[in-house]
Structure formats: structure tokens, C-alpha cells
Amino acid sequence: MIIRSFAFFASVLHASGASSPFSTPVKTVSIIGGTHGNEYTGIWCIKAIEKQRELFNEKSEAKHSPDTKVINVFKEYPTLSIDTLLANPKAYLANRRFIDTDMNREFSIKKLQQSTETCSEAEEDTCESQSSLPYEAIRAKEIESMFGAPKTGSAGDANADIVIDLHTTTANMGITLIVTEGDALMSAAAAYALHKCKTEYGYQNVHILLLPKTEKHDRTHLPSIGKHDFTIEVGPTPQGVIRHDIVEQTEAALHSLLEFLHLSNMELENKRTGVTVLDHLREVFPDGVPCYQSAPAVGAKELHGKIQWPTLEDNPNFPAAMVHKSLQDRDYQPLRTGDPLFVGLDGAIIPYDGSHGDEVLLMFVNEGGYYYSSSGTGIGVAVSSRFDLETGNNVE
């Protein structure tokens, strides 16, 4: 909630469409909280934004201490049309990750189409009717329809320029900015937020995670229903808890992203000459932007590279081996073949077998959400990389 001076970044404001990764200004921004109902930080943030809207419309100011300035996004970023959405209201009320299944795995076109199919009499024995679908599958279709049915509709285009999904993790991921490789706009926005969070907000545990290129229709995560998608993941924090410091980190990343979009809009609309925001980023990252990239999937059902832990026969959500203590809280740190990985019920240490390479980087280590089979059990695997500012493509 604390705002630092934006004077330096405002000084690089410019508008040369030829220097920008965008051809038109970004207007509509949807900010999502509660995709997982017990990740309260994102829900707090969207409720705070709605309070800001109320104050803005009333032309009043929030009450705060003299040394604290609260950002009102409607006042600070007037070129953006911002709305919010509580994605999973039932899970939020129940303080659960989900009711039936992980909503952030329900947005591929295949799953969305399943939620709209009706069964003919001949298919009744094999067809899954909507009433028998998981709540999150039905809710996912509702949300996709709210955004103009960009995956299942005939128009094929979203009515939101950018969908930003706010998440937290129990793992020591710091501020992790997640974008898809090849999206130049979102990659540049992530670079801006990375630099600002470190240099102006003073957070050092800030990272960019580049997801592999996939067809938008095949992406399973909620923000993929926007023309562009961006996920902010902050941790560690327990599930079902609101921590002031985690809220501040989430808002720092969110405000940095919104500021980038607003400044870029101003550049395009005012058509001035000079140093652009993108020019400044080129100076900051002359050799490309450092990032991590999800390792390729090895298992047939994996979305990305993951080291799965074994589970008990009577409960697929309960690990049969726990994460070794040497790995706890060491996200983005290396794991080498032969290093301790898990500890079995009998106390035996299970070493890493090199299944993803002789040396890998771990992420989402012991993430509470990954104890659920529908979310994908295990530890994420990443590789260190860089991406090009002009294209958002991996350069290593």
C-alpha cells in the first residue's frame, strides 16, 4: 500500500509507437482474486481496489497516517479501465482452495467445451451432464462467458486486454511474476515490475517465471481468457491468512505493472519524442532480462516439469515421502543428482535421480496447494534463462 516516488520513471515517459511492443494502448484490465479460495491476499487486494473505486467516485480520500500515501489505482492510472473479479466465491466462503477441483486447471478449450455440452439420449450412459461436473468447471465456463467466450465463442477474442491473476504460495518464492514466452507486452511489463520492485520498493527476492509457449486455447489457467495474461505469485504465506507484508509485496508488483501500462498508454496517446520506457528497460537489461523458465514436462499428465512425490494408496493427497529439510525454503536453488530429495515413512532418504537433468532449480518447494492431486502433486522444476525485450522470447 505504500507508494514510492515515481518521478524517475515518469521522466522516461514517451510515445513512439515504433519503439513500443504495442500497436494500440491497453485499456481494459481485469484483476482477479480468489481463483483459489483460501489465498486471501488476492481477495484482500481486489476488495481494497473496490474500496478505492468507492472513494474515487465520492471524491474522498482514505484515512491514513501522515507518512503513508495509499495508491488509488483509479486516480494514479487514469488511462486504464480497471475491474475486479472474485473468481471462486464458494471456495472463498468455505476458506478452501477449491470445492471440487482446482479452478486454475479448468480453462483449456477442451474442458470449457465439456462444461457446455448436453447429452443426447443415446449418450446418456457415457456423457457427463453439467449437473455432475465439478463446481469449478461450471464456474470456469461462467467466467469465460463474462469475458466474451474467447475460447469457445465464435468471435474468438477476449473483451479484456489484460487479465491479472493474484496468487500466494506457501513456498519461499518471493515475488514471482509469471508470463508466457513470446508475449512481448507482458514480458516488458514483467521486466519493468522486476526492476521497480527491486530498486524502488527495495524487495530483492523478485523473479520472473517464463511459461513455455502454448496455444492460448490449450492453456488451463484462468488469466489465459484475456488477450494477454499475467500472474503475480507471492510467498511464503500460510493459506487462509492475510499478512500485511505479503499484501504490500503483492500491491508493489501490481502497481508496478499498472504503472507500466499507464505510462505506455501515455506514450502512445501523446506521441511525444524522447526516451521511452522500453528504451530505459533496454539500458537496464542490455543482455536480455534474467528469468526462470519451467522445465519441460516428463510425466504424461504434467503441465510443466515437476518432481512428483509418492502418495499413499488410501489418499492421493497425502505424501508417502516428505520434502527433505535441506530443500525447505530454498526455491530457485540448485538440486543435483544424488542430493537428498525426500524422506520416506521409514526414515530412509530418497535422493534425486536426475530425471530432469543432472542439475535443476527447484520452485514451489513444499507448496501446500500441490498436495492436491487435481493441482498436480510435487515440486516444480525450473531452468535459468533470459528473454529478449523486443519479442519476449527465450534467448538462452
Side-chain angles (χ1 to χ4, degrees):
M1 292 181 182
I2 299 173
I3 181 174
R4 273 63 170 184
S5 170
F6 293 152
F8 174 73
F9 286 97
S11 70
V12 300
L13 183 64
H14 163 60
S16 169
S19 299
S20 172
F22 344 105
S23 59
T24 57
V26 169
K27 292 299 184 183
T28 54
V29 178
S30 293
I31 303 172
I32 313 298
T35 299
H36 297 133
N38 59 2
E39 293 181 9
Y40 276 4
T41 299
I43 298 169
W44 175 278
C45 289
I46 64 170
K47 288 183 177 294
I49 289 171
E50 290 307 318
K51 183 64 176 179
Q52 293 162 23
R53 188 195 306 277
E54 176 186 328
L55 293 171
F56 181 77
N57 291 339
E58 293 174 355
K59 295 182 172 55
S60 60
E61 297 288 339
K63 295 179 180 179
H64 50 76
S65 59
D67 60 343
T68 301
K69 183 178 179 182
V70 176
I71 291 179
N72 187 308
V73 297
F74 302 99
K75 180 179 179 180
E76 295 290 335
Y77 317 119
T79 65
L80 303 175
S81 175
I82 298 171
D83 60 27
T84 66
L85 175 68
L86 175 58
N88 196 331
K90 284 190 177 181
Y92 155 65
L93 292 173
N95 190 12
R96 292 169 56 178
R97 182 175 175 85
F98 51 78
I99 298 301
D100 295 317
T101 193
D102 192 330
M103 179 176 283
N104 222 24
R105 307 293 184 269
E106 294 298 314
F107 285 87
S108 67
I109 187 170
K110 181 178 179 181
K111 288 197 172 185
L112 289 169
Q113 286 175 335
Q114 286 177 344
S115 67
T116 58
E117 287 176 350
T118 57
C119 304
S120 66
E121 291 184 7
E123 297 173 322
E124 284 184 353
D125 292 337
T126 58
C127 179
E128 189 173 26
S129 66
Q130 183 166 348
S131 62
S132 67
L133 287 170
Y135 163 71
E136 281 76 13
I138 298 170
R139 177 62 175 163
K141 179 55 188 171
E142 291 175 357
I143 292 172
E144 195 237 0
S145 296
M146 293 178 194
F147 285 82
K151 295 191 178 185
T152 61
S154 57
D157 201 6
N159 57 20
D161 291 328
I162 296 174
V163 176
I164 305 168
D165 202 7
L166 305 179
H167 285 263
T168 53
T169 171
T170 63
N172 189 25
M173 295 284 286
I175 300 173
T176 296
L177 313 167
I178 305 175
V179 297
T180 301
E181 182 183 0
D183 188 330
L185 172 61
M186 292 295 92
S187 298
Y192 183 91
L194 172 75
H195 183 62
K196 187 175 181 65
C197 284
K198 286 189 172 186
T199 60
E200 292 204 30
Y201 285 98
Y203 299 119
Q204 295 308 306
N205 192 14
V206 188
H207 315 278
I208 296 174
L209 176 61
L210 206 61
L211 299 179
K213 286 182 180 180
T214 52
E215 292 294 329
K216 183 174 282 289
H217 280 187
D218 295 329
R219 297 176 196 169
T220 63
H221 55 296
L222 187 155
S224 66
I225 58 176
K227 294 175 185 176
H228 301 275
D229 55 272
F230 198 108
T231 298
I232 298 172
E233 186 95 44
V234 181
T237 188
Q239 298 168 343
V241 170
I242 304 170
R243 280 179 47 165
H244 188 192
D245 57 339
I246 300 298
V247 169
E248 284 192 328
Q249 291 176 50
T250 302
E251 290 184 329
L254 176 61
H255 294 157
S256 299
L257 169 58
L258 296 176
E259 180 180 277
F260 172 84
L261 298 172
H262 171 63
L263 293 180
S264 299
N265 283 347
M266 294 291 288
E267 291 178 352
L268 291 170
E269 292 174 2
N270 295 335
K271 298 180 180 178
R272 291 183 291 178
T273 59
V275 179
T276 67
V277 174
L278 196 59
D279 289 335
H280 174 65
L281 290 175
R282 292 189 191 101
E283 293 179 2
V284 174
F285 303 108
D287 300 317
V289 183
C291 67
Y292 297 93
Q293 194 163 20
S294 296
V298 173
K301 296 183 179 181
E302 294 176 2
L303 297 174
H304 312 294
K306 224 172 204 184
I307 301 174
Q308 295 187 343
W309 50 59
T311 58
L312 297 182
E313 291 184 3
D314 66 342
N315 185 352
N317 299 324
F318 195 94
M322 63 180 172
V323 175
H324 192 273
K325 63 183 181 182
S326 64
L327 304 181
Q328 187 63 49
D329 301 323
R330 290 180 56 81
D331 296 80
Y332 299 115
Q333 299 301 310
L335 175 72
R336 299 174 182 87
T337 300
D339 286 350
L341 178 59
F342 299 125
V343 179
L345 287 168
D346 58 0
I349 294 175
I350 304 170
Y352 171 55
D353 62 5
S355 58
H356 289 76
D358 290 336
E359 180 177 307
V360 296
L361 303 174
L362 300 182
M363 59 183 180
F364 294 103
V365 176
N366 214 6
E367 155 60 30
Y370 292 168
Y371 277 59
Y372 298 98
S373 57
S374 69
S375 299
T377 57
I379 305 173
V381 181
V383 293
S384 182
S385 185
R386 291 180 179 271
F387 65 82
D388 177 64
L389 268 173
E390 314 298 327
T391 64
N393 289 324
N394 175 37
V395 294
E396 290 188 359

